[in-house]
């Protein structure tokens, strides 16, 4: 059987990873930001056609 890792090595490995909640928020913010940018772009395109 394999021996468990020493505690300091496990703690260091955990500190190098980002928390799961941070990844979820990052993905949501990026997705919402792109949707908002696409909506603003659509407004400019549709507004430019009416001139």
């Amino acid at each position: 059987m394999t021996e468990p890792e020493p505690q300091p090595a496990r703690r260091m490995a955990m500190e190098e990873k980002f928390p799961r909640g941070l990844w979820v928020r990052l993905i949501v913010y990026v997705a919402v930001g792109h949707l908002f940018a696409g909506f603003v772009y659509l407004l400019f395109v549709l507004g430019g056609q009416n001139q």
Side-chain angles (χ1 to χ4, degrees):
M1 289 192 161
T2 60
E3 295 180 5
E5 294 181 20
Q7 190 65 20
R10 182 177 293 163
R11 177 179 286 172
M12 185 178 259
M14 289 295 290
E15 289 176 357
E16 291 176 359
K17 292 183 178 181
F18 287 114
R20 183 180 176 123
L22 183 64
W23 281 113
V24 171
R25 277 185 291 172
L26 179 66
I27 291 170
V28 169
Y29 290 155
V30 168
V32 170
H34 278 83
L35 287 174
F36 180 72
F39 177 70
V40 171
Y41 176 76
L42 181 66
L43 288 178
F44 276 101
V45 169
L46 293 177
Q49 290 178 354
N50 290 333
Q51 291 183 356

